[in-house]
Amino acid sequence: MDLTKITSPSFLKNMNKRELEILARDIRSFLIEKCSITGGHIGPNLGVVELTIALHKAFNSPKDKFLWDVGHQAYVHKILTGRASQFDTLRQFKGLSGFPKRMESEHDEWETGHSSTSLSAAMGMAIARDIKKERNYVVPIIGDGALTGGMALEALNHIGHEKTNMIVILNDNEMSIAPNVGALHNILGRLRTAKEYSKAKEELESLMKKIPVLGGKVASTAERVKDSLKYLVVSGVFFEEMGFKYLGPIDGHDFEALEKTLEHAKKATGPVIVHVITKKGKGYKPAEEDTVGTWHGTGPYKMETGAFVKGNVQGPAWSSLISESVRKLMKNDRRIVAITPAMPVGSKMEGIQRDFPDRFFDVGIAEQHATTMAAGLATQGMKPYLAIYSTFLQRAYDQVLHDIARPNLNVFIGIDRSGLVGADGETHQGVFDIAFLRHIPNIVLMMPKDENEGQHMVKTALEYNDGPIALRYPRGNGIGVPLDDELKTIPIGSWEVLKDGQDAAILTFGTTIPMAMVAADELTKQGINVKVINARFIKPLDSDMLHELMVKNMPILTIEEAVLQGGFGSAVLEFASENHYYDIDIDRMGIPDQFIEQGSVDLLLDEINLTKEEAVLRIQKLVKSNSTIGTKQV
């Protein structure tokens, strides 16, 4: 079937089982081919092919509302809603988003990039439907990993309490990004093997219907027998206790089972859980055999072999460098404990997990819990290291402020994927953490210029005893500098002059330092000598160096791969104001007041004018303005 000819899912209504199976095969082949070029979340999507087809056959989108949680499993949904012709642009600059996108299609009812949000949003949509007296189904599709998130459990509690009409699809592939952890995962495991319970329950209900009605006593006894059977066969049936009718588990690759169960769910009143068992990566052997999450989301790969296409890299992966530096220090300090909210693979913590299993904790998709757990460890004299993506740290803002910074606890936060991340787009760009951390009292915030400085910052963070300290580091690989054998600490709040000059100063850090250095070299050729400073401590600022610059009335350009509002440049402006340097020319480059969509980092930087050419232009204007005004007096 030519998938690019699909304009809406209505064509599915009259397809028989054989035709659906052929369609599923064609979609798998299409996804394997397209993602081999663009990269993407191939594993999750191969696992939901039949499920997505069955949902669109059973319901009527967009009247009926589908909410995909986390959203990386919506590729098949996009194909069935008329976007197959755009898959060559998947996750590319100005192309098709890798997640649901309301502006892309009327069928994308809810935008997701972070997990565990679908049930709360679905509750809102269902309440709106009922207030407006409309008739439609609200169908969140949530994975077993996302279901462990606290927000999902809060929503389950509310939905069950209100007895709201809703059909929740639990896509259980026994694995999210990494192998799932936690008690809820164990409950699901028991449910997967509890088919005998469902069979016995049906037989019991059939038997009770044959008993003459003898009053409430018999009825209540029958209910107790059912409950006893439930607890006898399935220890802790979670969903029924939460107020949901539980259907399943069913084979998520069996069209007949899916059709029958979905029709049953549509006839029910109140909230329903349809527990569907799927196989992540189904239909592509390398993805099927993945047990650690390698095929959850990938770059380009060779379709025939599954070998990943690697670009030209010089240095080690940043995530690996930071985690390995922590691991080395753990050997001689038993107080160090490593924590991650479901990202042991993404944050390259496998070495820590292997060598120190008693001091490594993957808490699942529970960023708030991970953060406050780190605070609890710190109260007992331990040295917690919390590795968390910048975009996920947003979810634990209150815990950082209230539980870590306010009592001034010694927690080391490794902020992975800081800055632009590229193909995952606006839901994952790590550009807000400076702005939402910098104003919190007690916290230290730093970012290294290269891998060598990065490993020294790990040492600095784990030896710091005066409160919370956070280390930002980017996605991707380092620049390939030599690494010192012996780690050392860096004085807190100290900056470093990388290139001297007297006409203007560039203050920057991290990934934008190479760009600043190239810009400074070009300006030197024009007769403009620029001082380039590695402002590696974003908080506290190096006040001595700033005073030195401002006393000399030196024009300043700040550059950051982060939002300008409340960012590093704002901190420099605040310093000038607080110290009454009113005549200093200060210009700022960074992320403008907008969400940045998907695309390669270089293209995105060019799009927002965060380039060496722009830096050269800004310095030229600053120097010209300063020379026109003449020597200023402070």
Side-chain angles (χ1 to χ4, degrees):
M1 181 178 182
D2 185 354
L3 302 179
T4 63
K5 302 296 184 183
I6 297 174
T7 57
S8 83
S10 59
F11 74 98
L12 295 168
K13 301 299 181 183
N14 298 319
M15 294 184 78
N16 60 37
K17 179 184 176 184
R18 176 61 180 156
E19 290 168 332
L20 293 174
E21 289 172 344
I22 293 172
L23 174 63
R25 181 196 65 197
D26 291 345
I27 288 175
R28 279 199 171 87
S29 297
F30 179 88
L31 286 173
I32 292 167
E33 177 187 353
K34 296 298 182 182
C35 289
S36 72
I37 300 169
T38 63
H41 292 92
I42 183 68
N45 285 283
L46 291 177
V48 297
V49 175
E50 289 85 3
L51 174 59
T52 309
I53 292 171
L55 287 170
H56 274 292
K57 190 174 190 294
F59 297 96
N60 297 302
S61 177
K63 180 182 178 182
D64 296 326
K65 313 301 181 186
F66 290 141
L67 296 85
W68 297 91
D69 193 330
V70 173
H72 56 242
Q73 57 181 330
Y75 292 6
V76 185
H77 164 77
K78 293 195 177 202
I79 291 169
L80 295 176
T81 53
R83 286 170 274 179
S85 61
Q86 301 173 56
F87 261 70
D88 287 338
T89 71
L90 179 70
R91 292 160 46 92
Q92 308 299 303
F93 186 59
K94 304 293 186 183
L96 195 67
S97 172
F99 297 90
K101 187 78 172 168
R102 286 170 60 86
M103 291 180 62
E104 273 187 15
S105 172
E106 63 180 347
H107 297 278
D108 289 6
E109 191 65 45
W110 180 246
E111 294 190 6
T112 39
H114 290 182
S115 79
S116 313
T117 65
S118 63
L119 299 182
S120 296
M123 184 58 169
M125 292 178 191
I127 290 171
R129 172 200 63 197
D130 295 343
I131 290 173
K132 294 189 290 184
K133 300 188 183 307
E134 295 176 345
R135 295 179 62 83
N136 63 274
Y137 294 101
V138 178
V139 188
I141 303 100
I142 185 167
D144 50 327
L147 194 65
T148 64
M151 188 173 175
L153 299 178
E154 291 173 18
L156 279 177
N157 181 60
H158 187 210
I159 294 164
H161 174 75
E162 296 288 347
K163 297 180 172 55
T164 305
N165 286 332
M166 184 186 304
I167 299 173
V168 178
I169 308 298
L170 171 55
N171 174 30
D172 180 1
N173 57 32
E174 305 182 50
M175 184 176 164
S176 50
I177 296 175
N180 283 323
V181 297
L184 185 56
H185 172 64
N186 294 332
I187 289 173
L188 294 178
R190 289 196 294 272
L191 287 172
R192 292 183 204 112
T193 59
K195 292 182 180 178
E196 290 303 314
Y197 161 64
S198 297
K199 181 180 177 182
K201 183 178 176 182
E202 289 173 5
E203 291 175 354
L204 181 63
E205 288 174 346
S206 176
L207 177 63
M208 285 190 299
K209 288 177 182 178
K210 298 176 183 178
I211 299 174
V213 178
L214 297 176
K217 186 174 182 179
V218 170
S220 63
T221 300
E223 286 301 316
R224 285 199 302 271
V225 170
K226 286 170 64 180
D227 285 343
S228 297
L229 179 68
K230 175 171 65 179
Y231 287 109
L232 175 66
V233 181
V234 185
S235 175
V237 177
F238 180 77
F239 301 109
E240 292 189 5
E241 295 298 329
M242 293 286 283
F244 285 75
K245 180 176 179 59
Y246 173 81
L247 301 177
I250 62 170
D251 183 348
H253 305 293
D254 182 335
F255 280 116
E256 289 183 354
L258 286 165
E259 182 177 2
K260 177 183 176 181
T261 307
L262 290 174
E263 286 304 314
H264 187 34
K266 288 165 69 176
K267 294 174 184 176
T269 57
V272 179
I273 288 271
V274 179
H275 185 180
V276 180
I277 309 297
T278 61
K279 184 173 182 60
K280 201 168 186 177
K282 184 175 175 61
Y284 188 50
K285 188 175 181 180
E288 282 188 358
E289 295 177 346
D290 176 30
T291 60
V292 295
T294 304
W295 282 89
H296 171 79
T298 76
Y301 54 89
K302 294 180 180 178
M303 189 169 58
E304 299 79 8
T305 64
F308 295 116
V309 178
K310 296 183 179 179
N312 295 323
V313 296
Q314 295 176 305
W318 271 104
S319 299
S320 178
L321 174 93
I322 300 302
S323 290
E324 281 299 292
S325 298
V326 172
R327 186 184 67 84
K328 292 174 184 176
L329 292 169
M330 290 178 79
K331 293 178 181 178
N332 297 315
D333 192 340
R334 286 194 54 80
R335 294 174 298 169
I336 303 173
V337 178
I339 307 166
T340 178
M343 299 306 294
V345 177
S347 288
K348 306 294 184 186
M349 303 179 78
E350 299 96 328
I352 295 175
Q353 186 175 23
R354 179 192 66 239
D355 292 354
F356 305 101
D358 61 328
R359 288 188 280 146
F360 171 81
F361 296 92
D362 176 3
V363 302
I365 301 175
E367 295 89 354
Q368 294 169 311
H369 166 59
T371 306
T372 298
M373 174 180 158
L377 281 161
T379 66
Q380 303 304 303
M382 305 301 282
K383 291 185 175 182
Y385 164 61
L386 172 62
I388 186 168
Y389 286 14
S390 172
T391 184
F392 300 146
L393 184 59
Q394 295 163 190
R395 314 190 86 180
Y397 168 79
D398 181 62
Q399 285 67 34
V400 173
L401 188 153
H402 184 274
D403 299 336
I404 293 178
R406 185 184 53 81
N408 203 32
L409 297 173
N410 297 324
V411 174
F412 170 25
I413 305 174
I415 311 178
D416 200 346
R417 307 300 203 267
S418 291
L420 295 172
V421 298
D424 279 340
E426 56 194 316
T427 59
H428 283 63
Q429 310 286 18
V431 298
F432 300 101
D433 55 83
I434 293 175
F436 71 71
L437 291 176
R438 189 177 65 81
H439 64 260
I440 297 177
N442 296 332
I443 199 164
V444 171
L445 184 57
M446 56 187 175
M447 189 172 191
K449 69 176 185 294
D450 56 34
E451 311 95 286
N452 193 42
E453 189 168 68
Q455 66 170 353
H456 294 314
M457 283 188 171
V458 170
K459 170 83 166 175
T460 302
L462 287 170
E463 293 200 355
Y464 183 68
N465 294 312
D466 293 326
I469 186 165
L471 168 60
R472 306 179 80 240
Y473 50 99
R475 184 175 188 172
N477 292 70
I479 58 179
V481 300
L483 299 178
D484 295 337
D485 292 329
E486 185 175 346
L487 300 184
K488 61 184 180 183
T489 59
I490 301 171
I492 300 296
S494 65
W495 292 352
E496 174 188 35
V497 176
L498 301 177
K499 181 182 181 299
D500 209 358
Q502 66 281 346
D503 297 324
I506 296 177
L507 308 183
T508 190
F509 51 88
T511 53
T512 48
I513 282 178
M515 178 255 283
M517 294 294 287
V518 172
D521 289 342
E522 291 191 10
L523 287 161
T524 299
K525 296 173 185 176
Q526 301 173 21
I528 300 174
N529 294 311
V530 178
K531 183 190 292 284
V532 179
I533 295 172
N534 172 21
R536 55 196 177 189
F537 285 93
I538 302 155
K539 183 179 182 179
L541 303 175
D542 188 330
S543 57
D544 290 342
M545 194 170 290
L546 279 172
H547 280 301
E548 181 183 341
L549 295 173
M550 293 183 181
V551 164
K552 295 177 180 177
N553 298 306
M554 189 176 289
I556 294 171
L557 173 65
T558 65
I559 304 176
E560 57 196 303
E561 196 177 303
V563 292
L564 286 169
Q565 281 72 16
F568 169 71
S570 295
V572 175
L573 286 172
E574 291 163 10
F575 179 90
S577 174
E578 290 164 2
N579 290 279
H580 310 296
Y581 293 110
Y582 299 126
D583 295 326
I584 300 296
D585 285 329
I586 300 174
D587 196 4
R588 300 174 302 143
M589 288 174 58
I591 307 292
D593 189 20
Q594 67 188 67
F595 290 104
I596 307 298
E597 296 190 351
Q598 73 277 359
S600 74
V601 172
D602 287 342
L603 286 172
L604 295 175
L605 292 173
D606 188 62
E607 174 82 358
I608 59 176
N609 288 325
L610 197 53
T611 63
K612 67 177 177 63
E613 290 82 8
E614 181 69 14
V616 168
L617 182 63
R618 298 282 189 103
I619 290 290
Q620 288 172 337
K621 289 181 178 179
L622 283 170
V623 171
K624 182 178 180 180
S625 173
N626 195 53
S627 62
T628 300
I629 295 172
T631 303
K632 304 174 190 174
Q633 298 296 321
V634 179

